[in-house]
Amino acid sequence: MAWPRLFILLLGLAIILGLMLWLISSLQWLYTQVALTSPFLANLLVFCLIALMAVLMGAFLYYGWQFRSKKKPKNKRPPQVPTDKVDAAASNLRAVHRQIQQIQDEVTRQALLKETRQMAKTFTRRELKIVVFGTGSAGKTSLVNGIVGQMVGDVGATIGTTAVGQTFRCQLRNVDQELLITDTPGLSEPGVAGTDREQAARKLATEADLLLFVVDGDLTQSEYQPLRALGRMGKRSLLVFNKTDCYTQTDQDLIQERLHERVQNWIQPEDVVAIAARPQPVPLASGKTLEPEPDLKALLQRISRILRQEGEDLFADNILLQSQRLGAEARQHIDQERRQQADQIVDRFQWIGAGVIWVTPVPVIDLLATAAVNTQMVIEIAKIYGCDLTLDRAKDLALSLAKTMVSLGIVKGAIEVLARALQFSVVGFVVGKTIQSVGAAYLTRIAGKSFIEYFRNDQEWGDGGMTEVVQRQFQLHRRDRFVKAFIQEAITKLPTEFGRRVQQQLSPTRSDPNTPPSPPHSN
């Protein structure tokens, strides 16, 4: 307990003890004076005073207890955040794996789990993936062949040849990790097959630990867009300016300067490297030609330096990036499944609410008549999103949304929309009950859809609050096509008498009950 509070408590106790001593002496004197004339009255007076003192003492102790300092719980440590990037990547991958387990669709769940298992294997192999990416004319294949031919260290055989290129296993001197270098199809290839191959190549690029984006001049629009997209997602990239032997030194300097300017926001100047993967043959005086060696020294040195300095970070950053992508994909699937389940709940409760109004002799739409229905709907939607609402909290949410709908004029607007679609006046008990029942279902649907948005956003209404969410749902559900389809569904969902009455109103001139009604239309 804090010293000021302890001092106040001790001072209060001392004052109370002093008063008690004074009261005891005063009571003794008073008792002797009253007892001379009425012993019973004296005893009663003493009892009342003692009871009053006990009440005062109890009140003091109670409020003193209420203002006690709360002890901090022991052994409760804040969650430990991994400081090492590899540990953080492993932790994030485990979290994504648990998230994927929540997906109910078996095919989707197994496909995503397969990806997580493949990423988990990289923790043991520690292989760094280098992907060569660019247009078909930029010389990607020549670059891969040059790297494989000049790589200092052992070069393994091709470990895979697929529709998206070849992958070679290599080892650089003074670098612990093994390298997997993959050539990919070029960008902007013609035809459907070319488009499919390009999509596969883009996926490989997003999975690379280090990306080599190859160009043979200034960036074109078709090259800039994918390179910028990869940069935005945090992909570690080198921009490789190939075919420098085709330019004069002045032109080389000018192109490199432009490349620096275009990528300065996400690629460092030292990561823009000029090479000649397959230099042009040089004619000799004898009439023969000389095939120069590939000029890849600057690129190999830069790759080697990056792998030595950032090897573990490259590996961890890519795992984090891939797990985040998987997590986003898993969240999207979970959200879709939850929305489908929540929509089914809304569909069910909207007709339950309409049935309540139909069997209740109420002359106007009364949201309070369906408060219990809406409250139960809120509770069931909350369970879909993993939220356990108390009954009181659900009631508060349902009533708050009902008041908002009334204040915004949505109740009146719903009546007008439905009356216009049904094309009859609100006259007579049965017709009025028709409007009431369909209106109750309609408003319950708007409320349910609003609650779905509330729970999808972690029990937050957003910057515009409940008002904006409800208005947006009303605007989405007031379109003529939806209203007509909704009324047609109401005819089949609500009691037979209800459907028969609506059909009569929709087709008042038909005498044959077996003739189907004409479809409703709006004015």
Side-chain angles (χ1 to χ4, degrees), residues 317-480:
D317 287 341
N318 189 41
I319 293 295
L320 279 171
L321 188 63
Q322 297 306 314
S323 60
Q324 289 170 0
R325 176 185 60 81
L326 277 181
E329 189 173 349
R331 286 192 298 273
Q332 183 179 4
H333 284 292
I334 292 171
D335 181 61
Q336 290 175 351
E337 292 179 345
R338 286 176 170 176
R339 290 205 68 166
Q340 290 175 356
Q341 296 173 13
D343 286 342
Q344 292 175 358
I345 291 174
V346 173
D347 289 341
R348 176 160 52 90
F349 276 95
Q350 70 185 13
W351 304 122
I352 292 176
V356 169
I357 292 297
W358 178 255
V359 299
T360 304
V362 182
V364 294
I365 294 180
D366 186 357
L367 291 178
L368 293 178
T370 57
V373 174
N374 288 342
T375 298
Q376 186 61 33
M377 179 179 66
V378 172
I379 292 175
E380 293 197 21
I381 293 175
K383 288 181 181 178
I384 294 295
Y385 287 91
C387 305
D388 291 328
L389 288 187
T390 63
L391 183 61
D392 291 338
R393 174 60 178 159
K395 287 180 180 178
D396 290 341
L397 281 172
L399 288 175
S400 296
L401 192 135
K403 292 176 181 178
T404 300
M405 293 172 73
V406 172
S407 65
L408 293 174
I410 290 179
V411 174
K412 181 180 178 182
I415 296 174
E416 294 174 352
V417 168
L418 295 172
R420 183 171 63 249
L422 286 168
Q423 292 189 351
F424 52 68
S425 303
V426 184
V427 292
F429 177 73
V430 174
V431 176
K433 184 176 287 189
T434 299
I435 289 288
Q436 289 172 237
S437 299
V438 180
Y442 185 80
L443 294 172
T444 299
R445 183 178 186 85
I446 294 175
K449 294 292 187 179
S450 300
F451 284 127
I452 290 175
E453 294 302 313
Y454 172 72
F455 289 111
R456 284 186 68 224
N457 294 302
D458 297 326
Q459 302 185 63
E460 294 287 343
W461 288 110
D463 295 337
M466 181 187 294
T467 299
E468 182 178 324
V469 174
V470 173
Q471 285 180 327
R472 183 168 63 250
Q473 291 301 321
F474 179 58
Q475 293 301 323
L476 290 173
H477 290 85
R478 68 180 301 174
R479 297 169 183 171
D480 289 342

Side-chain angles (χ1 to χ4, degrees), residues 251-262:
D251 290 338
Q252 286 184 38
D253 295 340
L254 180 60
I255 292 174
Q256 278 197 273
E257 182 179 352
R258 288 179 178 175
L259 292 175
H260 288 154
E261 292 175 355
R262 299 188 192 285

Side-chain angles (χ1 to χ4, degrees), residues 276-287:
R278 189 178 181 181
Q280 296 292 319
V282 178
L284 300 177
S286 62

Side-chain angles (χ1 to χ4, degrees), residues 78-301:
Q80 298 295 319
V81 178
T83 55
D84 183 75
K85 280 192 173 184
V86 175
D87 292 340
S91 176
N92 195 64
L93 189 58
R94 288 192 294 270
V96 171
H97 187 274
R98 291 192 296 270
Q99 188 178 40
I100 292 173
Q101 294 285 5
Q102 301 177 34
I103 299 176
Q104 297 181 4
D105 182 72
E106 182 69 18
V107 175
T108 301
R109 184 174 67 252
Q110 291 302 327
L112 294 180
L113 286 175
K114 182 179 179 181
E115 290 194 53
T116 61
R117 287 191 291 268
Q118 289 175 345
M119 283 193 289
K121 290 179 181 178
T122 61
F123 280 94
T124 57
R125 291 200 300 260
R126 286 295 194 274
E127 295 172 337
L128 280 170
K129 294 178 288 186
I130 298 179
V131 174
V132 182
F133 192 57
T135 61
S137 61
K140 297 183 290 74
T141 303
S142 297
L143 172 59
V144 172
N145 292 335
I147 292 177
V148 171
Q150 290 195 10
M151 186 71 73
V152 181
D154 296 329
V155 178
T158 305
I159 65 172
T161 302
T162 65
V164 291
Q166 294 179 316
T167 298
F168 298 88
R169 189 186 301 276
C170 304
Q171 183 75 47
L172 268 177
R173 208 173 273 173
N174 300 322
V175 175
D176 296 333
Q177 295 94 343
E178 279 194 318
L179 306 180
L180 299 180
I181 301 181
T182 301
D183 186 14
T184 62
L187 297 173
S188 304
E189 289 185 353
V192 176
T195 302
D196 293 340
R197 283 161 53 84
E198 179 177 332
Q199 291 300 321
R202 287 174 183 259
K203 186 175 186 299
L204 276 176
T206 61
E207 296 172 355
D209 297 309
L210 179 63
L211 181 70
L212 305 184
F213 197 101
V214 186
V215 297
D216 58 358
D218 195 7
L219 281 171
T220 64
Q221 188 67 21
S222 61
E223 293 171 329
Y224 179 83
Q225 290 181 348
L227 180 60
R228 184 71 184 99
L230 291 165
R232 284 176 177 170
M233 67 183 296
K235 183 59 58 181
R236 185 69 169 89
S237 304
L238 294 180
L239 180 56
V240 182
F241 171 30
N242 191 20
K243 299 184 181 180
T244 55
D245 56 299
C246 298
Y247 299 92
T248 64
Q249 188 61 48
T250 302
D251 290 338
Q252 286 184 38
D253 295 340
L254 180 60
I255 292 174
Q256 278 197 273
E257 182 179 352
R258 288 179 178 175
L259 292 175
H260 288 154
E261 292 175 355
R262 299 188 192 285
V263 301
Q264 61 182 343
N265 293 329
W266 72 94
I267 295 180
Q268 298 299 320
E270 59 269 23
D271 289 334
V272 180
V273 185
I275 65 165
R278 189 178 181 181
Q280 296 292 319
V282 178
L284 300 177
S286 62
K288 298 182 179 180
T289 58
L290 174 66
E291 298 283 345
E293 291 291 328
D295 181 12
L296 304 176
K297 183 178 179 181
L299 177 61
L300 293 176
Q301 288 179 344

